Amino acid sequence: MSNLTTNTESVFRTCLLPSVLWSACILITVSGCEKSELPEATPEKSPDAKLPQEETSPPPSDQQTQQAKNLDRSEGEQVTVILEVPDQPVKAGASFPLTVKFEIAPLWEIRTLDAQPAKVATQLKLELPDGFQAAGDWQAPPSGRSLSLDNHPVYAGEAEFRQTVQVDADVKPGEYTLSCQVQYQACDEQRCLSPVQKKLHVTVLVGESQTND
């Protein structure tokens, strides 16, 4: 009886041992595969960690800065007004053109400089520093006809007015600010808005006098 029990236990251990080893090998293999499939997390403070990139706009160039000094723009829903002078330095004793441009929305119009009554006319009034003089009258573009019943003269689309400014010979080199007060009334075929007043500013750079050349 004792020999039978011993033989039975021996057979059981012989059969059980390979099964246990086989199961252990399968678990180790599966565990190793699962571990290898998981990516390794990069620590936040690691040198390899990617930080969010900040968008930076390039600094304004000298040309953009100069343009800002020589051009002033007033945006409007019906009318946009632009005051502009040349971006090159002006020599003392010379003259330069100054421009006021109106950009008028489709189906809208503004009155001419000589419209009556004067409160509805387009008005341009320069304010110049000492040593700067307006030479002559404003050079106005050709006018058109209003869409209203009386067909009075108006400006539509783009209208550019020019004025020549003379610099005295004794003006010292440097930057000078010029201003222009603009008044206009925008109208369409059926109605007119209240007159609008805007004041625009530009900077002119004056160089050496022409007599020193």
Side-chain angles (χ1 to χ4, degrees):
M1 184 67 178
S2 177
N3 291 334
L4 180 60
T5 302
T6 302
N7 292 335
T8 303
E9 291 178 354
S10 177
V11 172
F12 178 76
R13 291 174 181 174
T14 303
C15 296
L16 181 62
L17 183 58
S19 299
V20 173
L21 293 175
W22 178 255
S23 299
C25 290
I26 293 176
L27 289 175
I28 292 172
T29 302
V30 172
S31 177
C33 292
E34 291 179 352
K35 183 176 181 181
S36 63
E37 290 177 357
L38 294 176
E40 294 184 1
T42 305
E44 293 183 359
K45 295 184 179 181
S46 169
D48 297 332
K50 294 183 179 180
L51 299 177
Q53 297 181 354
E54 297 182 0
E55 296 183 358
T56 56
S57 57
S61 63
D62 294 341
Q63 182 177 2
Q64 292 173 329
T65 303
Q66 186 67 20
Q67 184 182 30
K69 293 180 180 180
N70 293 298
L71 184 150
D72 194 5
R73 184 183 185 97
S74 176
E75 297 282 354
E77 183 177 353
Q78 290 83 20
V79 180
T80 294
V81 187
I82 304 169
L83 175 64
E84 187 175 10
V85 293
D87 55 2
Q88 299 90 355
V90 179
K91 293 184 178 181
S95 61
F96 63 91
L98 179 145
T99 303
V100 177
K101 180 188 291 187
F102 291 84
E103 296 179 349
I104 307 164
L107 303 180
W108 289 88
E109 57 194 34
I110 61 174
R111 298 292 188 99
T112 56
L113 299 180
D114 57 354
Q116 296 296 327
K119 64 180 181 180
V120 301
T122 298
Q123 299 180 19
L124 306 173
K125 295 181 180 180
L126 280 178
E127 296 181 9
L128 303 176
D130 293 340
F132 290 72
Q133 309 291 333
D137 298 327
W138 285 97
Q139 299 176 19
S143 61
R145 290 293 174 178
S146 173
L147 298 176
S148 61
L149 295 178
D150 62 357
N151 297 126
H152 56 268
V154 295
Y155 298 112
E158 287 190 359
E160 186 172 294
F161 299 83
R162 283 179 169 265
Q163 175 66 266
T164 300
V165 179
Q166 179 70 41
V167 184
D168 292 346
D170 58 353
V171 172
K172 296 181 179 179
E175 291 187 351
Y176 295 84
T177 300
L178 288 68
S179 302
C180 185
Q181 182 170 305
V182 177
Q183 177 179 297
Y184 61 86
Q185 184 181 43
C187 302
D188 63 9
E189 187 176 359
Q190 299 179 347
R191 62 188 174 122
C192 286
L193 305 179
S194 299
V196 175
Q197 287 188 351
K198 296 180 180 295
K199 194 170 187 179
L200 306 178
H201 309 271
V202 290
T203 300
V204 173
L205 179 62
V206 176
E208 297 292 338
S209 172
Q210 286 186 330
T211 57
N212 295 334
D213 292 343

